[in-house]
Amino acid sequence: MADRTRNASRGQQGPGHPHRGGPGGHMMGEKPKLKDTRGTLLRLWGYLRQERGPLALASLLVVGSTGLQLLGPYLIGVAIDDYIVPGDMAGLARITALLFTTYLVASLLMWLQAYILAGAAQRTIRHIRGDLFRKVQILPLRFFDQRTHGDLMSRLTNDVENISQVLTESTTQIVAGVLSAIGVVIIMFVLNPMLALVSVTAMLGMTFIINRVISRQTRPGFREQQAALGALNGIIEETIG
């Protein structure tokens, strides 16, 4: 009886079992890599095409809010040079009101773009989750036997949530950051070309260092974090079960 129990236990822990690192097992030390980046982006764009209208409107709002944010520091400089130094209090009051209106409208545009992007992202994520759920329903049992349930849950929840965060926050920050950098560089060259050249050179050097050194060090850590999260979810799910 004891021998049969041990043999049955070994049979459950066969090569395909997730805890033994079978073909489908997702072990802690693995570093999954995206095999087809272009194909993945195209598939994601297939979902985003349904939200082209809101995305276009949000892009216009990003451009408007970025332009107003660049206008604010310029107005502050004008207020100091043309009104505070000469002592023109009436002119200072007018430009202060204009500055307040500028930042108020910029904040309103930022809120609108965040609201529109959040709605578009959530609708997109709903479609992705629906397709994932339908895919899971038709997968063979062998697929689930070779993978930890917690890792599958992590892919269906955490990974999709990361996509949602990219759509709602990171994309907007990247576009706004690029537009702000372009606007700042143009204004700097108009005001002082030599100082602008030194600043741009230093900024490009820092960007190169970040992309070539820091990013290469942090990317493997992020992959290990995702692998550890999948393993942790697997332990939690099996312990509760």
Side-chain angles (χ1 to χ4, degrees):
M1 182 65 180
D3 293 338
R4 285 200 300 270
T5 302
R6 284 193 295 268
N7 292 335
S9 177
R10 292 193 190 99
Q12 291 177 356
Q13 299 288 338
H17 194 276
H19 293 296
R20 294 290 297 272
H26 190 66
M27 299 302 292
M28 187 80 70
E30 291 183 7
K31 297 181 180 180
K33 296 182 179 180
L34 190 62
K35 296 181 180 179
D36 187 8
T37 303
R38 183 175 179 272
T40 302
L41 292 177
L42 289 176
R43 292 181 65 183
L44 182 59
W45 173 244
Y47 290 100
L48 293 175
R49 281 189 303 181
Q50 305 176 33
E51 303 293 334
R52 283 175 293 185
L55 291 177
L57 179 58
S59 300
L60 293 176
L61 293 175
V62 170
V63 174
S65 62
T66 303
L68 291 175
Q69 289 178 350
L70 291 175
L71 180 61
Y74 174 77
L75 292 177
I76 293 176
V78 172
I80 295 175
D81 295 337
D82 297 344
Y83 298 104
I84 294 180
V85 174
D88 186 357
M89 294 296 103
L92 180 61
R94 291 193 298 271
I95 199 169
T96 301
L98 179 60
L99 184 63
F100 176 79
T101 303
T102 299
Y103 280 114
L104 180 63
V105 175
S107 300
L108 178 61
L109 294 181
M110 291 176 63
W111 179 82
L112 285 175
Q113 76 190 27
Y115 180 83
I116 293 173
L117 281 177
Q122 291 306 311
R123 288 189 294 270
T124 301
I125 295 303
R126 181 183 61 189
H127 295 152
I128 294 177
R129 291 189 190 277
D131 289 345
L132 285 173
F133 182 78
R134 285 187 288 271
K135 179 66 175 179
V136 168
Q137 299 303 305
I138 63 175
L139 290 173
L141 292 177
R142 178 182 176 85
F143 178 86
F144 299 98
D145 290 337
Q146 294 179 344
R147 291 163 176 80
T148 61
H149 296 168
D151 185 57
L152 295 176
M153 292 170 58
S154 178
R155 293 179 183 276
L156 293 173
T157 56
N158 296 323
D159 292 358
V160 176
E161 189 61 30
N162 287 336
I163 296 176
S164 176
Q165 184 177 1
V166 168
L167 295 178
T168 54
E169 299 179 8
S170 301
T171 303
T172 305
Q173 294 175 357
I174 291 174
V175 174
V178 170
L179 293 176
S180 299
I182 294 174
V184 168
V185 169
I186 292 175
I187 295 175
M188 288 172 60
F189 274 100
V190 171
L191 297 177
N192 192 326
M194 185 58 64
L195 182 59
L197 182 61
V198 174
S199 300
V200 170
T201 302
M203 182 176 62
L204 291 177
M206 292 179 60
T207 303
F208 178 80
I209 293 175
I210 292 175
N211 290 334
R212 293 294 181 179
V213 179
I214 299 179
S215 296
R216 289 185 177 181
Q217 299 296 325
T218 57
R219 191 177 295 114
F222 178 77
R223 289 172 178 165
E224 292 177 359
Q225 175 188 348
Q226 294 300 103
L229 185 60
L232 176 62
N233 287 332
I235 295 174
I236 293 174
E237 191 275 335
E238 292 172 4
T239 302
I240 294 176

